[in-house]
Each structure stands twice: as structure tokens, then as C-alpha cells.
Amino acid sequence: MTAAAAQPSGPAGPAVLDLSRSVAELTADLVDIESVSGDEARIADAVEAAVRRHRSLSVRRLGNVVIVRTELGRPERVVLAGHLDTVLVAGNLPSRLADGRLHGCGTSDMKSGVALQLRVLELVGGGTLDPAVDLTWLFYDCEEVESARNGLNRVAAEHPELLAADLAILLEPTDGTVEGGCQGSMRAEVGVEGRRAHSARSWLGSNAIHAAAPILQRLADYSAREVAVEGLTYREGLNAVFISGGVAGNVIPDRCEVTVNYRFAPDRSEAEAEAHLREVFDGYALTVLDSAPAARPGLDRPLARRAVAALGGEVAAKLGWTDVARFSALGVPALNFSPGDPNLAHRADESVELAQLERCEGLLVAFLRQGPDASGENQGRTEEEIATD
Amino acid sequence: MTAAAAQPSGPAGPAVLDLSRSVAELTADLVDIESVSGDEARIADAVEAAVRRHRSLSVRRLGNVVIVRTELGRPERVVLAGHLDTVLVAGNLPSRLADGRLHGCGTSDMKSGVALQLRVLELVGGGTLDPAVDLTWLFYDCEEVESARNGLNRVAAEHPELLAADLAILLEPTDGTVEGGCQGSMRAEVGVEGRRAHSARSWLGSNAIHAAAPILQRLADYSAREVAVEGLTYREGLNAVFISGGVAGNVIPDRCEVTVNYRFAPDRSEAEAEAHLREVFDGYALTVLDSAPAARPGLDRPLARRAVAALGGEVAAKLGWTDVARFSALGVPALNFSPGDPNLAHRADESVELAQLERCEGLLVAFLRQGPDASGENQGRTEEEIATD
């Protein structure tokens, strides 16, 4: 792994973050602190050191998770959550500016989102922004790897009270739009047994791969639901993602396994999703491999509706799984919103558009400044303020 | 690999074979010279040294292939062929006698066959057996591995004149019966393409595994031929032996590959077999991975019919592929005959029945002693002779 953080103190020393820099500069600073999953100590140290300069905010450090809270006594609380880790660096560090975009590992997923979190924190901590709600900032590790290591997951399990809120905004890439809730995801293995034999005397065996034909036919014939939940349309999908079978080039195979991935709408629980799979694959052995619940968008709550209105007015269903589901499981409605482009995530040519970054910062600050009787009239003022930042 | 040959000089020194020992003892001696494919030098040395003691026989050594010929001016020539190598030793060396069977790696496949070859050679070389035909003995290496390394294959390519004969008897396990010719075998990959997409937005992709359903259905529906060739019934088979597809647990797969194995009767050439596969999988990309021709039993020739009569009177189609096809390709009819049990080949509990060994030796010697006007009357005499050996 190449250390490529462009910090004055060099990659081996502590990284320093100056939260007064523009959101674009701050994104570049964060990108240049390499933080592949499992290696987030240095970026978490930098975030912790930067936020601790605001004495009005309470700061907790749990492993490589940094949790910052206001305690302003507001009637509602909003969580701004983002992960500090990235996928493996693909020769795309340090960051570079070109064509109005910042390029590099994590620019889109999701250090631009973390920069937005930190900009809001700087404005609130410095007194420039007096928020209408109390705020919780969550900076966490290991989102890009297995769920058991996920920092948000650990906090949810060990300190669920720290996640309590009336709305969570997860700054995962949405290309500047609001996406509500998320699909659930279940992976299951559907297996068929046969009986081995030499392929020269195949009639002595029973071919498990041939016996898998109806499984694939059911998948090919499957008609996926489109489900409206709280006004958003979730489109489901049921797909084979792996198939394997075979012992040797001259042996009738005695086993064939099809791994399916079911993406399901938030009107179904994980138990209901499993029951549906067992119905589709009736007659076959089915084992659930892993599962993550769907999340409702929470648009039945006034605060979520206000957020949508302030963040652009449009909202779509999140067609994918994100950590919003962890908030949803705790009863906290959650939206996805950030300047990153989901189609560029995890790619060597990952980048983020600077204009989108500025726009999202303006919208987010405007939302947080609004009171419960938001009319949107503050938005212009906020953008002006941002422009002179 | 454990060296376990029970030779007086120890595994590191030259192994010594005494061809005057009984066929059972000789089998044990051969089994105890470990000779996994690629490691046949020591057993080939032992065979060469033993056969060179008969000055009346011409001996050639080509790599680890030993070729011995009589030049008696007989009107017909019979090849006795056997491979010296075994599959990997499975803790089943040295050999041991129990329950009237010899146990150990290669007892069945096919050092019992090699012992039979050597016994006949000893009788002919020593003048005890005056054969009605000229004889060629082929002891070769690397039968249990890929075709390119096969010693018989190399001789066929480089010195086909050494294989010229009117009949070949391959001493591969047949459990003491005669099996004529062999099935051909062709492996081909049938592939389907799709288009990758995130499984949360599966409608943007095209699932190659689902698209493989008709391939499996055609295999499941396939009705294999039973074909009579020269009076023997060859039963064909077309089977998937491998299937694979899948990129990641959240990706719509863009490729699925089914490897099929077609075992075909000797009325079809390899070109005809391929044409048949292309017909069955019409509409799909098909690539032939490897292929081996079928072999006709040669029962339209008087010598082959005499061999069948002398070796027990019964003959069945060989349902499997053996090196008889290499002779068949050179125009030499070929039969399989040996005391080994094909169902025990390549197993840790491999063994051979001693009574079957003695019986096969008697039949083989009787056949070779007969003239073209064979009446079978010599057979009793030969067995008696063997019994006092």
C-alpha cells in the first residue's frame, strides 16, 4: 500500500485537518489521508483532533469511530453519518483536480460526504450556523467490508442510545439527490443433489447439474415486484449471482449449487423475504447465507418530509442497500444524500464534481438552519453565505 | 511420496525383477516398485534389465517406454500393451496379501496386467511357449496423466511402425472379460454471455446464469443412443460435468459456462461427434476442449474373433475410453483384457483377485499357443503347465 496523503507532516506523522478550508479543499485533504478499511486510525485521529477544538461539542472516540453531539435542547435531533474508509487504492492517490472535478480514491464514496459533515460541524461549532435541531455526527470505520467489522454496526449493538434521533442522513453517494430508505438484501443457496458415476457409464449416476435446470428456469421466468412504500417505488430483483457444480471432467456431478440474491422492498421483513424465497424454490433445499433488512424511507414523519423539501424537493427509493437500514432497525427514519456519484464508487476513475459539492453543502446547511415551520426562505441566504466562505 | 518398493536393494538402488516367479508374485514385485506417473524410470529400468536376458527378443528403450519384439516370421502379429505408471499412492504400499487378493496401488490398474505381459514374455523368451503369432510387448509410461505425456502416444507419433500389428490386446482392467474397442470422449464448453450490473438494479443487466436454463434443459431431455457396432452395443451419454458462473455476491453475472462430456460410440468420428454437439446446442457458443476418438472392436477380423473365443468366448463393448483407440487410429483392431477390476481402479482399497490372475494367464497363453485353426484343445494343457510353473 502506498502512503500518499499530501499532509505537511508526511504520511507517517499525524495528519492535520483544517476545517475552515472549503468543502472541496477539505475533501482533497481527506482523500489524501489513505484509509483503506481496517487502516482508519490515522484519519480517525485527524478527525478527532479537528473536532475537539470546538469545546461546545461533546466528542467520544470508540475504536476508530468518532461521535460528536450538540446538546442544545432542541425538540428534534438529526444524525449526519459517514464512513471514513475506502476500498483498496487503485493507483488513484493523491487526489488531483481536473475539469471541475476532484479525482481519487474515496472522492465519491464518500470523503466528499465526510467533508460535508465536517463543514457543517465547523459552522455549528464556530457559531456561524445555529441549527434548528440538535445534531449528532458519526464518523465510522469498516463500511466497505463485512458487516461484523462495521463501526456503525458496533455502535448500534453496544451504544444504541448514541444513535437515537428523529432522522438520520447518511452521506453515501446519491449524486446530489435524496434517496429514501433502502432495499433489503438476502443471499441464499439453492442446492440439488445427484449421484456420482463415471461419465462413460452415466446411467449409473444422477446428474445434479441437469437437475438444476428448473431452478434456473424459475429465475428466468420470475416476475419481480414493484412496490410503493410511503410514496416511493421500490423495484425488486431475484437473481442467480453464482452457480457451481462438477467434480472432474469424467464424473457425473453429485451436487449443483445456485446462489441467489433477492433485493426486496421495505414492505417485507427478512422473515417474509425468506418465506418468499422458499415459495419460489419449493421442492429444493434452500439455505439463507446472509441477510440485511430493508429500510423504510420514513416519509410519514414531518422531519423527513422537511428534509426532502429542503434538500431539493425530489426523493426516490434507494435501490441498493446502505447503512440507513441500521438506523431504520432502531426506529430512526433515514435518508441518503450526498454529492458523490454512486456509479463512480469503487472505480479507479472515481471522482466528484466540485459544483455538486458546493450545491449539496448549501442545501444541507439551509435544511439545518430551518425551523419546524420551514418555508424555504432561508435557503438563498445560506447559499450566499457559503459563497463567501 | 513414500518409497516403499520391497526390493532387496532398497528403494534407492536398482529394482530387480525375476520373471520366473508366479504371476501373483510378479504382480507384487511390480506393485512394490512405486511408479507414479512421471516417475517410471526405476520400473522401466527393472523391466528392461529383465527382458534383455532373453537374447532371442529384440528390445528397444525409448524414454521410459520398453518395446520388445519377436521376429519369428509368423503371418500375424499381436501386441500386448500395458502402462507402467499408477495414480498417486494412497497409503496403500507396499502390497499385501489377504483373503485371496493382492492389495495395493496399481494391483488392479494395471500391474497385474504388466505381470501377465512379462509372464508371457518369459515363456516365449525361454522357449516354453512357441507362439502361433509374432508378438510385440509395449511397456509404457504416463497413461494416467494428460495425453501429451502418454508414452504410447509418443511411440504412435514418432515410431508408428513399432505398433504395427493385426491385433492389440491392452491389459487394462476388465475383470477377466474381453471388452472390444472403446467409446470416444469429447469435452466441450457451452457458454452464455450476459451483461454485468449491480444486483440491486438487476434490470440494467442481463443474467447469464438464467440464460443457461435451456442448456441444462436440453441436457436433461437428451436421449442417448445405443448403437450396435460389429455386434457390440455401445451406450452413449451426454452430460454436464462442470458448471460455473458468477462475479460477486452483488453483481449480475455476465458469463456462465457449462462443460459437457460426450461419450460416443465407434460409429462416429470425432468430427461427427462435434457436429452432433453443435446440433444439440444450436444457438449457443460451443468450444471443443479436448477429444479422443472411439475405437472399433475389430470383430470383423478373424484374429480378433479367435482372441475372443480363446479368452472366454464373451465380449462386451468397452464403456470408457482406453488406449485401444490409439491402435484403432493406426488401423489395428484392439481388445481390452486383464484380471484387474475397473471398479477398484484409482481407489485406496485397490486389489486384484489371485484366482483371476491365474485364470487370465492361462487364457492368454492358450490363445497365443493356438494356430489359425484353433480348436481350443490346447487350453487344458496350458493351464496344467501354468499350475506347475
Side-chain angles (χ1 to χ4, degrees):
Chain A
M1 224 173 287
T2 58
Q7 299 302 309
S9 54
V16 175
L17 287 170
D18 175 0
L19 304 189
S20 71
R21 281 154 67 85
S22 76
V23 67
E25 291 167 329
L26 202 49
T27 301
D29 293 344
L30 288 161
V31 168
D32 291 340
I33 306 173
E34 188 176 313
S35 58
V36 174
S37 307
D39 195 21
E40 298 96 337
R42 196 157 166 270
I43 196 167
D45 288 349
V47 167
E48 183 186 359
V51 302
R52 281 203 188 275
R53 283 186 291 119
H54 293 296
R55 299 289 173 185
S56 62
L57 303 174
S58 88
V59 179
R60 282 189 71 164
R61 173 83 178 252
L62 298 167
N64 284 329
V65 180
V66 180
I67 304 168
V68 187
R69 293 166 64 94
T70 62
E71 299 292 353
L72 303 170
R74 301 288 193 271
E76 295 173 310
R77 177 174 291 275
V78 170
V79 172
L80 300 177
H83 62 83
L84 296 170
D85 61 321
T86 70
V87 293
L88 287 175
V89 179
N92 51 358
L93 284 185
S95 63
R96 62 184 177 82
L97 269 170
D99 306 323
R101 306 184 72 90
L102 182 71
H103 299 258
C105 182
T107 46
S108 180
D109 183 12
M110 54 169 282
K111 289 182 172 173
S112 50
V114 174
L116 233 63
Q117 288 177 276
L118 289 170
R119 283 297 303 150
V120 170
L121 186 147
E122 174 73 4
L123 295 175
V124 170
T128 308
L129 171 61
D130 185 28
V133 292
D134 264 307
L135 283 162
T136 302
W137 290 266
L138 273 163
F139 306 92
Y140 63 100
D141 58 335
C142 288
E143 191 274 344
E144 300 288 6
V145 289
E146 64 271 24
S147 174
R149 295 169 64 192
N150 184 300
L152 182 58
N153 207 22
R154 277 187 287 114
V155 174
E158 294 165 21
H159 302 280
E161 72 285 358
L162 295 177
L163 304 187
D166 302 285
L167 176 68
I169 297 176
L170 190 68
L171 288 105
E172 285 275 12
T174 62
D175 212 9
T177 66
V178 180
E179 294 181 342
C182 75
Q183 297 167 314
S185 178
M186 179 170 285
R187 287 193 310 138
E189 188 180 274
V190 188
V192 207
E193 303 283 342
R195 196 171 60 251
R196 286 192 198 189
H198 196 290
S199 65
R201 296 174 291 279
S202 52
W203 50 91
L204 301 177
S206 166
N207 195 311
I209 295 177
H210 299 189
I215 296 174
L216 301 194
Q217 197 56 53
R218 288 183 201 183
L219 284 162
D221 293 343
Y222 186 81
S223 181
R225 297 192 310 156
E226 293 197 9
V227 187
V229 178
E230 296 169 18
L232 303 187
T233 301
Y234 291 84
R235 189 166 171 183
E236 296 196 335
L238 175 58
N239 276 274
V241 289
F242 289 111
I243 188 166
S244 70
V247 177
N250 61 353
V251 174
I252 302 302
D254 59 350
R255 178 118 188 108
C256 182
E257 282 149 13
V258 184
T259 303
V260 299
N261 182 213
Y262 178 36
R263 299 288 176 144
F264 54 95
D267 69 327
R268 281 194 168 151
S269 67
E270 291 170 275
E272 287 165 338
E274 179 177 343
H276 177 65
L277 288 184
R278 293 196 181 279
E279 191 177 0
V280 171
F281 297 109
D282 186 36
Y284 293 92
L286 184 145
T287 309
V288 173
L289 300 176
D290 55 40
S291 171
R296 290 188 159 265
L299 296 176
D300 51 347
R301 317 265 185 109
L303 181 59
R305 286 203 301 274
R306 285 198 331 261
V308 169
L311 296 175
E314 298 286 332
V315 59
K318 180 71 181 177
L319 301 175
W321 192 89
T322 73
D323 273 334
V324 295
R326 303 195 198 279
F327 289 101
S328 192
L330 296 170
V332 182
L335 302 172
N336 305 272
F337 173 76
S338 107
D341 181 345
N343 295 325
L344 296 178
H346 302 190
R347 286 171 49 156
D349 62 350
E350 185 177 354
S351 67
V352 68
E353 190 188 0
L354 300 182
Q356 183 72 281
L357 252 178
E358 305 279 346
R359 176 181 160 274
C360 286
E361 184 184 13
L363 292 172
L364 188 58
V365 171
F367 162 59
L368 296 173
R369 193 188 298 278
Q370 287 176 352
D373 57 339
S375 62
E377 67 186 37
N378 289 336
Q379 190 166 325
R381 188 156 55 84
T382 307
E383 283 184 333
E384 189 178 291
E385 190 169 75
I386 297 305
T388 61
D389 221 8
Chain B
M1 222 173 287
T2 58
Q7 299 303 310
S9 52
V16 175
L17 286 172
D18 175 0
L19 304 189
S20 71
R21 280 154 68 85
S22 76
V23 68
E25 289 167 330
L26 202 47
T27 301
D29 292 344
L30 288 161
V31 168
D32 291 341
I33 306 174
E34 189 176 314
S35 59
V36 174
S37 306
D39 196 22
E40 297 94 338
R42 197 157 165 270
I43 195 167
D45 288 349
V47 167
E48 184 187 357
V51 302
R52 280 202 189 276
R53 283 185 292 121
H54 292 297
R55 300 289 172 185
S56 62
L57 304 174
S58 89
V59 179
R60 282 189 71 164
R61 173 83 178 250
L62 298 168
N64 284 328
V65 180
V66 180
I67 304 167
V68 187
R69 293 167 64 93
T70 61
E71 300 293 354
L72 303 169
R74 301 287 193 267
E76 294 173 310
R77 177 173 289 277
V78 170
V79 173
L80 300 178
H83 62 83
L84 297 170
D85 60 320
T86 69
V87 294
L88 288 175
V89 179
N92 49 359
L93 283 187
S95 62
R96 62 184 175 82
L97 270 171
D99 306 323
R101 304 184 72 90
L102 182 70
H103 300 258
C105 182
T107 45
S108 179
D109 184 10
M110 55 167 282
K111 289 182 172 173
S112 49
V114 175
L116 232 61
Q117 288 178 277
L118 289 170
R119 282 297 302 151
V120 170
L121 187 147
E122 174 74 4
L123 295 177
V124 170
T128 309
L129 171 61
D130 184 29
V133 291
D134 264 307
L135 284 163
T136 302
W137 290 265
L138 274 163
F139 305 92
Y140 63 101
D141 59 335
C142 288
E143 191 272 345
E144 299 288 5
V145 290
E146 63 271 25
S147 174
R149 295 169 62 192
N150 185 300
L152 182 58
N153 207 21
R154 276 186 288 114
V155 174
E158 294 164 23
H159 301 280
E161 73 283 359
L162 295 177
L163 304 187
D166 301 285
L167 175 69
I169 297 175
L170 190 68
L171 289 105
E172 285 276 10
T174 62
D175 211 10
T177 67
V178 179
E179 294 182 340
C182 75
Q183 295 167 317
S185 178
M186 179 170 285
R187 286 193 311 139
E189 188 180 273
V190 188
V192 209
E193 303 284 340
R195 197 170 59 251
R196 286 193 198 191
H198 196 291
S199 65
R201 297 174 288 280
S202 53
W203 49 92
L204 300 177
S206 167
N207 195 312
I209 295 177
H210 299 189
I215 297 174
L216 301 194
Q217 195 58 52
R218 288 183 201 182
L219 285 163
D221 294 343
Y222 185 80
S223 181
R225 296 191 311 155
E226 293 197 9
V227 186
V229 178
E230 297 169 17
L232 303 187
T233 300
Y234 290 85
R235 190 167 171 181
E236 296 196 335
L238 174 58
N239 277 274
V241 289
F242 289 111
I243 188 167
S244 69
V247 177
N250 61 352
V251 175
I252 301 303
D254 58 351
R255 179 120 188 103
C256 182
E257 281 148 15
V258 184
T259 303
V260 299
N261 182 211
Y262 178 36
R263 299 289 176 142
F264 54 96
D267 68 328
R268 281 196 168 149
S269 67
E270 290 170 277
E272 287 166 337
E274 180 177 343
H276 178 64
L277 288 185
R278 292 197 181 279
E279 190 179 0
V280 170
F281 297 110
D282 186 37
Y284 293 91
L286 184 144
T287 309
V288 173
L289 300 176
D290 55 41
S291 171
R296 289 189 160 263
L299 297 177
D300 51 347
R301 317 264 185 109
L303 182 58
R305 284 204 300 276
R306 285 197 333 259
V308 169
L311 296 174
E314 299 286 331
V315 58
K318 180 71 181 177
L319 302 174
W321 192 89
T322 73
D323 273 334
V324 295
R326 303 195 198 278
F327 289 101
S328 192
L330 295 170
V332 181
L335 302 173
N336 304 273
F337 173 76
S338 108
D341 181 345
N343 295 324
L344 295 178
H346 302 191
R347 287 170 50 157
D349 61 351
E350 186 177 352
S351 67
V352 67
E353 189 187 0
L354 300 183
Q356 184 72 280
L357 252 177
E358 305 278 347
R359 175 182 160 273
C360 287
E361 184 185 14
L363 293 174
L364 189 58
V365 170
F367 162 59
L368 295 172
R369 191 187 300 275
Q370 287 175 354
D373 57 339
S375 60
E377 67 185 39
N378 290 333
Q379 191 167 326
R381 189 156 54 86
T382 306
E383 283 184 333
E384 188 178 292
E385 190 167 75
I386 298 306
T388 61
D389 221 6

